Amino acid sequence: MMPDLGAYAVEVTLAWLGSLALLGGLIAWVWLRGRRVRAELDQIENRSERKRHG
Amino acid sequence: MSNGSLWEYANPVKFMRLSGRVLPWVAGLAAVLVGGGLFWGFFLTPDDFRQGSTVKIIFLHVPAALVAINAWIMMLVASLVWLIRRHHVAALAAKAAAPVGAVMTVIGLFTGAVWGQPMWGTWWAWDPRLTAFLILFLFYLGYIALWSAIEDADTAADLTAVLCLVGTVFAVLSRYAAFFWSQGLHQGASLSLAPGTRMDWAYKAPLYACMAGFTLLFVALLLAGTRTEIRARRYRALMVRERMYA
């Protein structure tokens, strides 16, 4: 399944693994930050809702 | 009630509603195209007669560079919308696009260097296109740092918008430097609409899939990031209100 990368195996593997790691890191950062901010906002909205109703 | 104008999505509530509906589809399509395009490019394309297997780096390098440059152009448009019409969603969209563009610039620089070493015999050259692209990356860093450094959101949006206008010179140079100066190591456009195609369809088809996938990935991350920025701004406003009435 793995293609024969010949004389440039190191360069091609390095470029692909490095780029996929960067892409994965970016996606994870956007997703986790979104989740954290949403949880914080839910918390403060619930708190202000409770205050308003007594 | 909808008036059919694009400007109605400058309303954060409307933007959140629409982006919440669209985001899963864009993200799903991006996953299919990026996954499929990269698989096709890595596993199913032959080696090039001159570049050998390093030709497979193009499936990361070209889409990343495309997004890196166009993300800045999108930030320019959003910044102009902010400066002229004072729509907060536009400023927050520009802010959300910057980290995505910065990472794409790093991927472009990194893959270019790794490809350049065996093909050009050097990791780096002070070639007009490469240098403009490196400066674009520095502008991305400056843009992100400026947003973080200024506490007042509107002032930060104003100053980063001006920085974006200046940095646009390097986004344009990253794309057209090879035409302007006709010198340096970096070749001209790999893909062209002009007759006399330079690339075989065996490479072009997966490359188009990757370019479409990276573009949709950018849109998905932009929508997700802008939604987060809108929520973060609401969170800060509620915090201020809570402190005032404590």
Side-chain angles (χ1 to χ4, degrees):
Chain A
M1 187 66 197
M2 186 71 184
D4 177 17
L5 300 174
Y8 303 119
V10 174
E11 287 85 352
V12 176
T13 309
L14 180 67
W16 274 73
L17 289 183
S19 301
L20 292 179
L22 284 165
L23 273 181
L26 172 69
I27 293 166
W29 177 76
V30 170
W31 185 63
L32 290 174
R33 182 166 177 266
R35 231 172 55 151
R36 181 177 55 79
V37 170
R38 189 178 187 157
E40 285 172 355
L41 180 62
D42 285 347
Q43 204 177 20
I44 200 167
E45 277 182 337
N46 289 339
R47 207 160 53 212
S48 33
E49 196 69 19
R50 275 201 304 274
K51 269 186 195 159
R52 211 174 17 230
H53 294 294
Chain B
M1 193 156 85
S2 170
N3 61 10
S5 160
L6 182 68
W7 298 116
E8 67 181 281
Y9 297 107
N11 175 334
V13 177
K14 284 189 176 169
F15 175 84
M16 290 298 275
R17 201 181 306 138
L18 178 76
S19 61
R21 278 202 302 263
V22 168
L23 182 56
W25 293 98
V26 178
L29 197 55
V32 169
L33 280 169
V34 170
L38 289 180
F39 182 88
W40 188 357
F42 189 79
F43 291 102
L44 307 176
T45 53
D47 286 358
D48 179 68
F49 77 103
R50 224 176 333 194
Q51 301 179 44
S53 62
T54 62
V55 73
K56 294 179 193 295
I57 295 175
I58 201 175
F59 304 111
L60 292 159
H61 180 75
V62 171
L66 170 91
V67 172
I69 294 168
N70 288 308
W72 193 275
I73 302 300
M74 173 260 144
M75 286 161 60
L76 168 71
V77 173
S79 298
L80 288 173
V81 171
W82 163 253
L83 288 174
I84 296 164
R85 300 195 63 147
R86 312 304 281 180
H87 288 318
H88 286 92
V89 173
L92 295 178
K95 184 184 181 186
V100 185
V103 171
M104 292 297 177
T105 314
V106 173
I107 293 175
L109 287 168
F110 171 66
T111 51
V114 174
W115 179 88
Q117 213 289 325
M119 291 299 113
W120 292 343
T122 181
W123 299 96
W124 179 260
W126 294 103
D127 154 291
R129 198 169 189 183
L130 270 64
T131 308
F133 203 62
L134 177 65
I135 296 173
L136 178 66
F137 173 61
L138 298 178
F139 263 93
Y140 268 121
L141 293 186
Y143 183 91
I144 294 166
L146 194 55
W147 263 109
S148 318
I150 299 166
E151 202 159 322
D152 179 65
D154 285 4
T155 310
D158 284 339
L159 295 179
T160 52
V162 173
L163 183 71
C164 186
L165 298 186
V166 179
T168 300
V169 174
F170 295 96
V172 173
L173 282 182
S174 297
R175 176 71 186 81
Y176 295 107
F179 297 116
F180 292 158
W181 285 290
S182 301
Q183 64 176 37
L185 277 174
H186 202 292
Q187 67 271 36
S190 305
L191 297 169
S192 171
L193 293 174
T197 180
R198 302 168 196 195
M199 189 185 283
D200 190 85
W201 273 102
Y203 303 109
K204 216 191 267 187
L207 183 55
Y208 280 145
C210 289
M211 287 163 74
F214 271 59
T215 304
L216 282 174
L217 177 64
F218 169 71
V219 175
L221 292 173
L222 172 68
L223 290 176
T226 309
R227 288 168 65 80
T228 300
E229 293 300 337
I230 289 171
R231 287 190 176 117
R233 186 164 287 196
R234 177 161 166 74
Y235 172 78
R236 279 193 293 274
L238 288 174
M239 280 292 279
V240 169
R241 198 166 72 182
E242 207 173 64
R243 279 192 203 130
M244 276 171 65
Y245 294 109

